[in-house]
Amino acid sequence: MENQSRSFVQGLKKLLLTPANVALALVTLQVLQAAEPFYQFFVKLNFLVLAWGGLCFLYDLVTRRTALRTRYTLLFLLYLVLYAAGMFLNRENNLVGNFKIFAYAGLYLFVFYPGGGRTEQERTGELLRYNGAVLILSFLFSIASLGMFFLQIGYVTPEGILQGFQSPVLWGIYRNPNTGGMIAVLSVIMVFLDGTLRRRRRGRLPRVLVVFYVCSLLVQYMYLLLCNSRGSLVSGLAVLFFAGAYRFYFYFRKKFRRAACPALCLALCLAACVTVGAYAGGSLVKHGLSYIPVAVEELKAGGEEAPASGAPSEQPETAPQQEAEDSSAEASSKPEETHVTVDREKEDGDVSTGRFLIWEAGLKALEEKPLLGWGADNIGIAKQAAYPELADSKHITTTNMHNGFLQILVANGILGFLPFFIAFILLWKDVAAGLFLRRKGDTAYLLMAVAAGVVVVCSMVENFILLNLSVMSVTLWFYLGQLAAVRAEDQPGPGFLSVLHPFSRHGKKVK
């Protein structure tokens, strides 16, 4: 009995105090909140997961202290200290909102990033559970969104936002098509990562799982095309280009007896051709999909009219000649629509959809508080002060800079931005070292790096790097934590100061 109680306590402790479980709970909430029907209910649960993450951090602090032993702990701590200093200086505005964003940044840096599994078996289980939650929910949401497109179903939210298809953009049930598009991109990568991990564990995939993977790829691909999110599309193409170049590079390195330059040039050319072909093929598929809603409407109209064709008409047998002529002329003047519009036109707005103005206003606001910034939740106030003549514009009032690095720069100033940016660059140096040296044959490592990298690429036009709570931000830091755990297993030990030494490599002199 005592052994059973002890095992129960140990199991409960592992369930509650494992950072990967916190990440799993948070990403599940974020996927649910990305869908408009579930947002109002599940947004209230974010605080519980944040408190759970704080409990995990405190437990780690008094036991293993993993969070304080990463290569970049010093830089992350310095960043948070400077963030707190700026938050204190701007305490008269949105103190609670700024503290919430500060807490989530701490969760990413000191719970998710250092929280990867210690063994390959632990990491595989964590990744499978995480990917499974995202894949299942995103598959259901994308199917519902495609159904709204094919059947032309829509509804208006209490905030006055039309859900469904707003030509040329498919919102579906997602609150934002850019978010839906990025979830689709990540889901495509997760399908391949999930399959790779399961084949590594079992050797062969069940047929039911293969069918789900294929259906998921098709559904996510169609939603990605129809949501018309430029950032998501560019990110997806970037994934294809990098993965293709990476694979082609090592293939040609063997062919050319390890000659790097010819291999790299050929790899880049072939990857560019594949990417251009994929873009052209996607345009053709999207054009084909645009005919389906009209065809469905015609089928529905034909089905409604067929039963009435044999019934006596309620209209008089003869109609005034003038009315018949008018209706005939009107019908001939309007060409019959055969498809819906799914391509953006130039008149839909400027190519940046207001981002140039947002970036310009943010940088101008930074001039007033260049050292410690305005605080993450005060960016709208800062831009209104910089551009009072545009104070009512949505591009000025928004706190979203639509660029992850500019978001940190304006929110935390130059002093806060530098330590984080340096740590982020060095962190990705470690990932690249794994890709091209120690883990160059590891497909799972490549796919995790690609999934994290695609979030960074999209963060050039969206705010997904750090000061944001979303599926993309959680996935970025969860995957970076898993990659860091792999690196620690490959080569444990050296701290961040040894990396900066110009005459050493990983803390050892180069011979």
Side-chain angles (χ1 to χ4, degrees):
M1 188 68 179
E2 184 178 350
N3 291 335
Q4 291 180 350
S5 300
R6 186 177 301 172
S7 62
F8 174 76
V9 171
Q10 290 296 329
L12 186 62
K13 183 187 295 185
K14 185 176 181 180
L15 176 66
L16 295 178
L17 300 176
T18 301
N21 292 337
V22 182
L24 173 61
L26 189 57
V27 79
T28 302
L29 281 181
Q30 294 312 303
V31 178
L32 289 168
Q33 290 171 39
E36 193 280 330
F38 307 114
Y39 175 76
Q40 293 296 336
F41 176 77
F42 286 103
V43 73
K44 302 171 184 177
L45 303 179
N46 288 338
F47 177 76
L48 295 178
V49 180
L50 181 60
W52 183 8
L55 179 64
C56 284
F57 173 72
L58 292 176
Y59 175 76
D60 178 78
L61 202 61
V62 298
T63 54
R64 294 189 297 161
R65 298 181 182 175
T66 307
L68 301 181
R69 292 178 180 174
T70 66
R71 291 166 63 85
Y72 310 112
T73 296
L74 180 61
L75 288 171
F76 287 155
L77 277 175
L78 179 59
Y79 166 73
L80 289 181
V81 168
L82 292 169
Y83 187 126
M87 186 168 57
F88 176 78
L89 293 177
N90 295 286
R91 61 189 181 277
E92 67 276 5
N93 293 315
N94 300 321
L95 180 61
V96 175
N98 285 319
F99 182 78
K100 285 182 181 178
I101 300 173
F102 171 84
Y104 284 115
L107 184 69
Y108 296 150
L109 300 178
F110 287 94
V111 178
F112 293 169
Y113 179 67
R118 287 177 288 179
T119 65
E120 184 175 353
Q121 184 177 0
E122 286 184 4
R123 290 193 296 272
T124 300
E126 292 170 356
L127 285 165
L128 289 177
R129 289 188 292 272
Y130 187 95
N131 294 345
V134 177
L135 285 175
I136 292 171
L137 290 174
S138 64
F139 177 71
L140 295 175
F141 292 167
S142 292
I143 281 185
S145 299
L146 290 174
M148 296 175 76
F149 171 73
F150 295 143
L151 301 176
Q152 292 293 283
I153 299 172
Y155 64 94
V156 180
T157 67
E159 293 79 16
I161 299 173
L162 177 62
Q163 298 293 143
F165 178 67
Q166 300 182 52
S167 180
V169 177
L170 173 61
W171 290 59
I173 65 171
Y174 284 108
R175 298 178 63 244
N176 188 311
N178 295 324
T179 300
M182 272 305 297
I183 292 176
V185 172
L186 288 176
S187 296
V188 169
I189 301 171
M190 286 179 181
V191 164
F192 292 102
L193 177 58
D194 203 71
T196 300
L197 294 173
R198 291 186 186 278
R199 287 190 62 184
R200 180 183 294 176
R201 172 181 279 188
R202 299 180 180 179
R204 188 175 181 181
L205 297 176
R207 185 173 299 178
V208 175
L209 197 58
V210 173
V211 172
F212 171 73
Y213 287 158
V214 173
C215 293
S216 181
L217 288 174
L218 291 174
V219 167
Q220 302 297 355
Y221 179 65
M222 287 190 288
Y223 181 81
L224 176 61
L225 293 176
L226 294 172
C227 75
N228 258 326
S229 169
R230 296 188 181 104
S232 302
L233 181 61
V234 169
S235 300
L237 294 174
V239 167
L240 192 61
F241 177 79
F242 176 78
Y246 180 83
R247 288 301 190 188
F248 288 140
Y249 172 73
F250 284 109
Y251 173 78
F252 289 121
R253 280 291 297 269
K254 294 179 181 178
K255 294 292 183 181
F256 293 118
R257 296 180 181 179
R258 300 187 179 279
C261 287
L264 181 61
C265 292
L266 277 174
L268 292 176
C269 289
L270 281 177
C273 292
V274 171
T275 304
V276 172
Y279 178 77
S283 299
L284 291 175
V285 172
K286 184 166 66 171
H287 184 67
L289 291 173
S290 68
Y291 288 88
I292 297 179
V294 176
V296 171
E297 287 293 328
E298 291 176 352
L299 287 174
K300 289 168 62 178
E304 292 173 359
E305 293 173 3
S309 59
S313 174
E314 296 180 3
Q315 299 291 335
E317 293 184 1
T318 59
Q321 184 177 1
Q322 184 63 37
E323 184 179 346
E325 291 177 357
D326 291 344
S327 61
S328 176
E330 185 178 351
S332 61
S333 63
K334 292 185 178 179
E336 184 179 357
E337 292 186 357
T338 59
H339 64 280
V340 297
T341 302
V342 293
D343 291 314
R344 290 183 182 269
E345 304 292 340
K346 289 184 179 180
E347 57 266 23
D348 290 341
D350 69 283
V351 69
S352 73
T353 57
R355 286 174 172 81
F356 292 154
L357 175 59
I358 293 173
W359 297 341
E360 181 184 354
L363 291 175
K364 185 175 181 181
L366 182 65
E367 295 175 2
E368 185 174 341
K369 297 183 179 182
L371 296 182
L372 293 175
W374 287 82
D377 212 32
N378 297 336
I379 290 178
I381 298 173
K383 290 187 294 181
Q384 285 178 314
Y387 282 88
E389 67 277 11
L390 299 174
D392 295 331
S393 170
K394 65 178 182 180
H395 301 308
I396 300 298
T397 57
T398 179
T399 59
N400 186 354
M401 283 295 297
H402 284 279
N403 182 291
F405 295 107
L406 281 179
Q407 187 87 14
I408 299 171
L409 181 61
V410 177
N412 306 128
I414 298 173
L415 293 181
F417 176 78
L418 284 177
F420 173 81
F421 187 71
I422 292 171
F424 201 69
I425 293 298
L426 293 175
L427 183 155
W428 276 99
K429 179 194 72 69
D430 292 343
V431 174
L435 281 173
F436 291 95
L437 295 175
R438 294 179 295 277
R439 292 272 173 169
K440 60 184 179 182
D442 191 338
T443 303
Y445 188 94
L446 168 65
L447 291 170
M448 283 191 289
V450 166
V454 75
V455 176
V456 177
V457 171
C458 193
S459 292
M460 298 299 103
V461 292
E462 297 292 343
N463 172 31
F464 294 144
I465 292 291
L466 184 68
L467 304 181
N468 174 264
L469 180 59
S470 66
V471 177
M472 284 60 70
S473 303
V474 176
T475 300
L476 170 64
W477 289 100
F478 175 73
Y479 276 3
L480 287 177
Q482 297 294 326
L483 292 168
V486 172
R487 184 200 175 282
E489 187 179 47
D490 288 342
Q491 188 178 13
F496 113 93
L497 291 176
S498 64
V499 177
L500 297 182
H501 197 288
F503 304 107
S504 65
R505 182 178 297 164
H506 307 304
K508 296 181 180 180
K509 288 188 177 181
V510 180
K511 296 182 180 180

Coordinates of all heavy atoms in Angstrom, one line a residue, residues 42 59 63 144 169 274 281 303 330 338 374-375 396 429 447 454 459 464:
F42 N -12.0 30.0 -23.3 CA -10.6 29.4 -22.9 C -9.6 30.5 -22.6 O -8.6 30.2 -22.0 CB -10.1 28.5 -24.1 CG -10.8 27.2 -24.2 CD1 -11.8 27.0 -25.1 CD2 -10.5 26.2 -23.3 CE1 -12.4 25.8 -25.2 CE2 -11.2 25.0 -23.3 CZ -12.1 24.8 -24.3
Y59 N 9.9 24.9 -8.4 CA 10.3 23.5 -8.0 C 11.7 23.2 -8.6 O 12.6 22.7 -7.9 CB 9.3 22.5 -8.6 CG 9.8 21.1 -8.3 CD1 9.7 20.5 -7.1 CD2 10.3 20.3 -9.4 CE1 10.0 19.1 -6.9 CE2 10.6 19.0 -9.2 CZ 10.5 18.4 -8.0 OH 10.9 17.1 -7.8
T63 N 15.4 22.4 -6.7 CA 15.9 21.0 -6.9 C 17.1 21.0 -7.9 O 18.3 21.1 -7.4 CB 14.8 20.1 -7.4 OG1 14.2 20.7 -8.6 CG2 13.7 19.9 -6.3
A144 N -13.4 22.5 -40.7 CA -14.6 23.4 -40.5 C -14.5 24.7 -41.4 O -15.5 25.1 -42.0 CB -14.7 23.8 -39.0
V169 N -10.2 36.4 -48.9 CA -9.5 35.8 -47.7 C -10.5 34.8 -47.0 O -11.6 35.2 -46.7 CB -9.1 36.9 -46.7 CG1 -8.5 36.2 -45.5 CG2 -8.0 37.8 -47.3
V274 N 12.6 24.2 -57.0 CA 11.5 23.5 -56.3 C 10.5 24.5 -55.7 O 9.3 24.4 -55.8 CB 12.0 22.6 -55.3 CG1 10.9 22.0 -54.4 CG2 12.8 21.4 -56.0
G281 N 2.5 25.9 -58.7 CA 1.5 24.8 -58.5 C 0.4 25.2 -57.5 O -0.8 24.9 -57.7
G303 N -31.2 21.4 -57.0 CA -32.0 20.5 -56.1 C -33.2 21.1 -55.6 O -34.3 20.4 -55.4
E330 N -31.2 42.5 -68.7 CA -30.4 42.5 -67.5 C -29.6 41.2 -67.3 O -28.5 41.3 -66.9 CB -31.4 42.7 -66.3 CG -30.6 42.8 -65.0 CD -31.6 43.0 -63.8 OE1 -32.8 43.2 -64.1 OE2 -31.1 43.0 -62.7
T338 N -18.6 32.0 -62.5 CA -18.2 30.6 -62.5 C -17.3 30.3 -61.3 O -17.1 29.1 -61.0 CB -17.5 30.2 -63.8 OG1 -16.3 31.0 -63.9 CG2 -18.4 30.4 -65.0
W374 N 9.2 51.6 -24.0 CA 7.9 52.1 -23.5 C 7.2 51.0 -22.7 O 6.2 51.3 -22.0 CB 7.0 52.5 -24.6 CG 7.4 53.8 -25.3 CD1 8.4 54.0 -26.2 CD2 6.8 55.0 -25.0 NE1 8.4 55.3 -26.6 CE2 7.5 56.0 -25.9 CE3 5.8 55.5 -24.2 CZ2 7.2 57.3 -25.9 CZ3 5.5 56.8 -24.2 CH2 6.1 57.7 -25.0
G375 N 7.6 49.8 -22.8 CA 6.8 48.7 -22.2 C 6.0 48.0 -23.3 O 5.4 48.7 -24.1
I396 N -2.0 52.7 -35.6 CA -1.3 53.5 -34.6 C -1.7 53.0 -33.2 O -0.9 52.9 -32.3 CB -1.6 55.0 -34.7 CG1 -1.1 55.5 -36.1 CG2 -0.9 55.8 -33.6 CD1 0.4 55.4 -36.3
K429 N 23.1 29.8 -33.4 CA 24.4 29.2 -33.8 C 24.5 27.8 -33.3 O 25.1 26.9 -34.1 CB 25.5 30.1 -33.2 CG 26.9 29.6 -33.6 CD 28.0 30.3 -32.7 CE 27.9 29.8 -31.3 NZ 28.4 28.4 -31.1
L447 N 13.7 18.8 -38.7 CA 12.3 19.2 -38.7 C 12.0 20.1 -37.5 O 11.2 21.1 -37.7 CB 11.4 18.0 -38.7 CG 11.4 17.2 -40.0 CD1 10.6 15.9 -39.9 CD2 10.8 18.0 -41.2
V454 N 10.7 28.6 -39.0 CA 9.6 29.2 -39.8 C 8.9 30.2 -38.9 O 8.4 31.2 -39.5 CB 8.7 28.1 -40.3 CG1 7.8 27.5 -39.2 CG2 7.8 28.6 -41.4
S459 N 8.1 36.0 -38.1 CA 8.1 37.1 -37.2 C 8.7 38.4 -37.8 O 8.7 39.4 -37.1 CB 9.0 36.7 -36.0 OG 8.3 35.7 -35.2
F464 N 5.9 37.1 -33.1 CA 5.9 35.8 -32.6 C 7.1 35.4 -31.8 O 7.2 34.3 -31.3 CB 5.7 34.7 -33.7 CG 4.4 34.8 -34.4 CD1 4.3 34.6 -35.8 CD2 3.2 35.1 -33.7 CE1 3.1 34.6 -36.4 CE2 2.0 35.2 -34.4 CZ 1.9 34.9 -35.7

